[in-house]
Amino acid sequence: MALQRYLLKRSHEAGEKLRPLLFRSFSSIAAPALHPFDYAPNAYNAPTLPSFDYSPKAYKGPLGDEILQKRKKYLGPSMFHFYQKPLNIVEGKMQYLFDENGRRYLDAFAGIVTVSCGHCHPEVVNAIVEQSKLLQHATTIYLHHAIADFAEALASKMPGNLKVVYFVNSGSEANDLAMLMARLYSGNLGMISLRNGYHGGSSGTLGLTALSTWKYSIPEGEIHHVMNPDPYRGVFGSDATSYAKDLQDHIDFGTSGKVAGFIAETIQGVGGAVELAPGYLKLVYDIVRKAGGVCIADEVQSGFGRTGSHYWGFETQGVLPDIVTMAKGIGNGLPLGAVVTTPEIAKVLAEKIQFNTFGGNPVCSAGGLAVLRVLDKEKRQAHCADVGLHLIERLRALQQKHDIIGNVRGRGLMVGVEFVTDKKEKTPAKAETTVLFEKLRELGVLIGKGGLHGNVFRIKPPMCFTKDDADFVVDAMDYAMSKL
């Protein structure tokens, strides 16, 4: 029934006729090797992309093979890429991306939710271009209206007394600054974060991160990782009280009863779109504050209405943090991040000089303010709720059809689909996930992959993603899984 939503003829978009007939099921990131698919995409039953009235510009730059060789030679060897044959993406428009051949792909990952409004949204682009013509950089030792206007608009989106804004260049910087604030304000050193969490790539934030694929074996100092309150894989299921007790034990026996702060994503991103056990943050925030610490909400991936039900992810747990960090979607692709806290906590940074050369520069501030305006104007939070509900309902119907889908979870347009080889044992379907990941690219869907075992599809598209786009993603998954 799902496949009947689409035309039976094959799309003749520029470049799509070049799609290969076979592909290998290997991933560039360590993954088990399987045999290639033993069939070619069938022009008469494979789903096709929804129509989109836009033609990409002719690309005249270097091709992917040349870029890959140059990248291997001159860029750090830790830099990885998706897909056995990496894509050379040369243009973007709203929820779509185009490769060097002009082939169109549906972006269901949004550059890890960096793109909120849509690729090259005209209002955001115009704000950036117009400001760039006037002044690209002026440090905060001089006055400029852009940073003040942006801070005012962002503070207006925050609940309670979260009214003081610090602008930085990334989520890693934001979480580093939040950790500094927590330690200075509390007078303690011990930080607590969740296993399976991710908080950045700097030396300090890698310490907060518990995912072994990201951590280096060097001492990070006074950082404790507690049980992840994962309703699907967690040892206590959805029992928030038992997870909270584990955190209390860490404070009692690991930090001598005192702690600087607790940080958590309210929906884990890299960890596989894991929503925390209901009521967990309320219990934990109370425990942390009694131990002298502050509570930090990492909204780098879950903020700005992406969950649909709320503007901020922490609101889904009914809590009010002391510090909120954000990045990615705040700038729709710009290198921009922010920390928002209370005036009381902000005073501790006034004891010394706190300065960021590029944080809140005129161009990023103009772009960030345009993002907030577009999200309001286009009612993107309500849109995420509507389209997200449709997407999750269709995915759960697909779960009933395919045993390989162990769990569908998330809110709005922050969704995870976890694949298993045994539903009862929840055995991660690592190899099969890699096959499906490659196959979706062949069908025209770019999706995220993550989770502790690399067996979760992370669906986090630009917020202009439509129900037709959602149907295409689900139908493409259905088609690929039917061929496994």
Side-chain angles (χ1 to χ4, degrees), residues 248-299:
Q248 181 70 70
D249 289 344
H250 271 76
I251 293 176
D252 291 342
F253 304 108
T255 66
S256 301
K258 294 293 182 181
V259 67
F262 167 82
I263 185 170
E265 304 159 272
T266 41
I267 300 179
Q268 292 176 335
V270 175
V274 177
E275 194 168 7
L276 310 184
Y280 176 75
L281 288 185
K282 273 191 175 183
L283 296 170
V284 164
Y285 277 22
D286 184 53
I287 292 169
V288 170
R289 285 167 176 154
K290 286 179 180 177
V294 301
C295 301
I296 305 168
D298 182 332
E299 293 287 330

Side-chain angles (χ1 to χ4, degrees), residues 34 73 206 293 307 336 449:
L34 298 178
K73 184 175 181 179
L206 277 175
T307 65
L336 177 62
K449 185 159 73 83

Side-chain angles (χ1 to χ4, degrees), residues 88-101:
N88 181 20
I89 297 296
V90 300
E91 191 174 344
K93 188 67 175 176
M94 301 310 285
Q95 68 268 46
Y96 292 102
L97 292 169
F98 299 86
D99 69 10
E100 61 189 25
N101 298 311

Side-chain angles (χ1 to χ4, degrees), residues 50-56 93 96 98 104:
S51 61
F52 186 64
D53 187 19
Y54 180 79
S55 297
K93 188 67 175 176
Y96 292 102
F98 299 86
R104 178 164 60 101

Side-chain angles (χ1 to χ4, degrees), residues 179-197:
M179 185 160 51
L180 174 64
M181 286 180 177
R183 285 172 164 167
L184 288 173
Y185 180 74
S186 68
N188 303 319
L189 286 177
M191 290 292 301
I192 297 177
S193 61
L194 297 178
R195 297 172 192 169
N196 202 55

Side-chain angles (χ1 to χ4, degrees), residues 170-469:
S170 70
S172 296
E173 279 192 58
N175 285 329
D176 258 336
L177 182 57
M179 185 160 51
L180 174 64
M181 286 180 177
R183 285 172 164 167
L184 288 173
Y185 180 74
S186 68
N188 303 319
L189 286 177
M191 290 292 301
I192 297 177
S193 61
L194 297 178
R195 297 172 192 169
N196 202 55
Y198 177 80
H199 298 288
S202 66
S203 178
T205 54
L206 277 175
L208 295 172
T209 297
L211 285 163
S212 60
T213 50
W214 293 89
K215 285 179 69 64
Y216 294 91
S217 55
I218 56 175
E220 299 294 348
E222 290 297 326
I223 293 176
H224 304 263
H225 300 113
V226 297
M227 283 185 182
N228 189 37
D230 180 350
Y232 179 63
R233 286 196 174 273
V235 294
F236 299 123
S238 295
D239 182 5
T241 303
S242 294
Y243 294 115
K245 184 180 183 302
D246 174 63
L247 182 139
Q248 181 70 70
D249 289 344
H250 271 76
I251 293 176
D252 291 342
F253 304 108
T255 66
S256 301
K258 294 293 182 181
V259 67
F262 167 82
I263 185 170
E265 304 159 272
T266 41
I267 300 179
Q268 292 176 335
V270 175
V274 177
E275 194 168 7
L276 310 184
Y280 176 75
L281 288 185
K282 273 191 175 183
L283 296 170
V284 164
Y285 277 22
D286 184 53
I287 292 169
V288 170
R289 285 167 176 154
K290 286 179 180 177
V294 301
C295 301
I296 305 168
D298 182 332
E299 293 287 330
V300 170
Q301 294 196 31
S302 57
F304 300 97
R306 176 165 290 278
T307 65
S309 59
H310 299 82
Y311 201 82
W312 303 108
F314 61 78
E315 293 175 309
T316 66
Q317 290 260 336
V319 295
L320 182 63
D322 303 300
I323 303 173
V324 180
T325 61
M326 58 199 76
K328 297 190 186 299
I330 190 177
N332 207 50
L334 290 168
L336 177 62
V339 179
V340 184
T341 190
T342 65
E344 183 182 7
I345 293 176
K347 286 179 183 178
V348 298
L349 291 184
E351 297 171 4
K352 304 283 185 181
I353 293 177
Q354 195 282 326
F355 184 77
N356 191 304
T357 302
F358 293 103
N361 69 77
V363 173
C364 285
S365 292
L369 181 57
V371 167
L372 294 181
R373 288 172 174 168
V374 167
L375 294 178
D376 284 349
K377 177 183 175 183
E378 298 181 355
K379 297 180 172 58
R380 287 301 166 200
Q381 182 181 333
H383 182 80
C384 285
D386 184 36
V387 177
L389 178 62
H390 176 75
L391 173 62
I392 290 171
E393 285 178 347
R394 288 221 52 208
L395 286 170
R396 285 182 175 154
L398 194 65
Q399 182 181 8
Q400 300 304 310
K401 179 179 179 181
H402 296 282
D403 287 339
I404 193 172
I405 300 179
N407 189 235
V408 174
R409 55 182 177 255
R411 287 175 181 252
L413 291 181
M414 191 165 183
V415 178
V417 181
E418 182 157 355
F419 298 102
V420 296
T421 57
D422 185 301
K423 282 192 173 182
K424 182 178 180 181
E425 298 297 326
K426 302 177 183 177
T427 309
K430 300 178 185 179
E432 292 82 356
T433 305
T434 298
V435 172
L436 294 172
F437 186 69
E438 291 281 353
K439 182 56 196 164
L440 285 185
R441 180 196 66 81
E442 279 294 313
L443 294 170
V445 179
L446 304 184
I447 208 162
K449 185 159 73 83
L452 181 62
H453 305 286
N455 66 319
V456 180
F457 276 176
R458 300 163 60 195
I459 305 175
K460 305 169 186 180
M463 294 189 199
C464 52
F465 192 79
T466 68
K467 288 184 179 179
D468 285 344
D469 296 325

